[in-house]
Amino acid sequence: MLEVKNLKAHIDTTDGVVRAVDGVSFTIKPGETVGIVGESGSGKSVLAHSIMQLNPKPPTFYPQGEIIFEGKDLLQLQDKELRKIRGKEIAMIFQDPMSSLNPVFKIGDQLMEAILTHHHLPKSKAKQRAIELLTDVGIPDPEKRMNAYPHQFSGGMRQRVLIAIALACNPKILIADEPTTALDVTIQAQILELMKNIQEKYGTAIIIISHDLGVIAQMAEKVLVMYSGRIVEKGDVEDIFYRTSMPYTWSLLRSLPRIDSESRNRLLNIEGHPPNLIHPPSGCNFHPRCPFASEQCKMVDPELTKRSPEHYVACILSEMEFKEAKKRMENVEREGDLNHV
Amino acid sequence: MLRYTLRRLLAIIPVLLIVSIIVFMIVHLTPGNPAYLILGEDSSPEAIEQLEQQLGLDKPKVAQYFDWLGSIFTGDLGQSIYSEEPVTQIISERIGPTFSLMVISMLLTLLVAIPTAIFIVWKRNTMLDPLFLSGSLLGTSIPEFWLALLLVLVFGVTIPIFPVAGYISISESLMDWLHHLILPGIVLAAVEIGLIARMLRDSMLESVNQDYTKTARGKGVKESTVLMKHVFSNALIPTTTVIGVTIAGLLGGTVIIETIFTIPGVGQLLIDSIHRRDYPVIQGVVLVIAFVYVLINLIVDLLYAFLDPRIRYD
């Protein structure tokens, strides 16, 4: 239904061109959930905004690639045609519910705007639909809340309102850019639950972006791991979590606290910082931070290659080599820990 | 809201008291003697003394102040030394032209500044923006009296399409009223347009990439609607303060303009009264101006609650 082909989204800055998204391809089918995971600054948000063409232009530009939605390349569409897709076919919810609603308009009006932009309905009908939507997303006393302003809602409730706005026209794809990052954990669970229910009810495809692997594991069927504007590993959720084949994904997983870990393992962080996207490193972008990097990694920029029908990895290490390297490292660490005691 | 309004109205009283003390001091400490000015250079010291007594100017300053203050509370601003008419009557005769001038220049300002700012934000990535910035700077830097004289020269003398002086009351003829106020209105507006358009542009650019505009664009809303509805309504809030201060400031600006265009308004009255050392009129005019100033500020604060639902005065 949606196919992103070799998409590049670059940003012009005074210091040079930032390659925020640098050749990304993926597809999403109806009713499917795709998770995009990566650190801050890996380009996930720019990628999500590219699909909706919501990156400010300039400074953002698209030197290459296609975003095919139902046979049309969204990058080539005129603004007028694009607007017919935004909100109606593809809708988006954003990271910060506190600032994503206009503070000076009533919730009801903002919700009705989403409906009336795409449907010529009498106001009373739109209002009725808006109340339905608020009920759908679990806002108590929706008729009364239509007249409330955003500041009268909590963060979780605002995110529900934003989801209602996104659902206003029954979109085929819902893009959720870090939808729970700004919320506390219990509310997070509720919002994710809500999104799942909506998907079941309406068959909406969801692209969920998060730096939180827990959120991704809970929601997604397919996962894209992004690093410095590229996909470094993609596959089914099992491939990513149980058959991890890329050192970066592995490092990300190791940096998670585990409730079932048998020893008092320290949390492991990834050394260093994400690379400068104006002057990316030579070879593999991850090599300066990769614990398994060899001389070859500084020269060869690995392509995303197929390991199994759905599992793609961008690393020069084969599955066997990676397994052995991991084992060696874990042994070294264990000895280090023992020495420490 | 009502309680807040009442509280703010009551707070005007101490402000006006302080203003009254300052005005009284400035006026009475300025050199010059009204009795001397009325009677002329050749008058005898006895005659001057007699007139001073008549006007109450021989009493101690403090007593004079309290006499004046006492009469203010009864709604009496005293009598003009010069024309012997009640000050309230003189001011009410003169407030019409000044008020008309303020309304015209404010309308002109808003009619030009708001569309300009929206247009500039719409074209924010083009060369129009730096051009606008220099233009607004130029506008705010032009001295009013210079622009007034220039416009009089061009549109009053070279191409005589506007009258260069005088005032026709709106009750006499709407067209003549407008015709006489266009030039002075433009002069007063020129300075304010630059300021308000710049302020509005800045606050609009600040909110043009806020998250809520992304939500609006994500709904499929047109960019022009995003700007005029979502961005403008938020940018208007800080701009309102500037508009309020500007309207209040126009009262002062009219002093020069009324003199150049000989409009019989409060500003001209003030200048004339200063020349005549007409103490009661000077005091009365300044007090009225201060009152209007405070009142406009109150209106701005109340407008805030209307424009921004997050503000509730309870």
Side-chain angles (χ1 to χ4, degrees), chain A residues 225-296:
Chain A
V225 181
M226 270 188 92
Y227 186 76
S228 68
R230 296 178 183 195
I231 293 177
V232 291
E233 182 163 5
K234 73 174 170 185
D236 291 340
V237 71
E238 283 85 12
D239 289 332
I240 300 298
F241 284 88
Y242 300 113
R243 291 182 287 279
T244 317
S245 302
M246 161 74 198
Y248 175 64
T249 319
W250 178 74
S251 309
L252 268 186
L253 285 168
R254 273 180 21 129
S255 64
L256 279 183
R258 293 185 68 106
I259 207 158
D260 60 345
S261 75
E262 66 274 9
S263 63
R264 13 97 270 136
N265 284 346
R266 280 169 295 134
L267 275 183
L268 297 154
N269 62 336
I270 307 177
E271 295 293 329
H273 298 281
N276 177 335
L277 294 180
I278 297 173
H279 305 292
S282 64
C284 171
N285 280 348
F286 187 55
H287 87 256
R289 305 170 73 191
C290 181
F292 312 112
S294 61
E295 277 305 306
Q296 210 189 347

Side-chain angles (χ1 to χ4, degrees), chain B residues 101-113 177 189 250:
Chain B
L101 189 54
M102 283 171 67
V103 169
I104 293 286
S105 61
M106 211 54 226
L107 281 179
L108 275 173
T109 304
L110 296 180
L111 280 177
V112 178
W177 173 77
L250 278 178

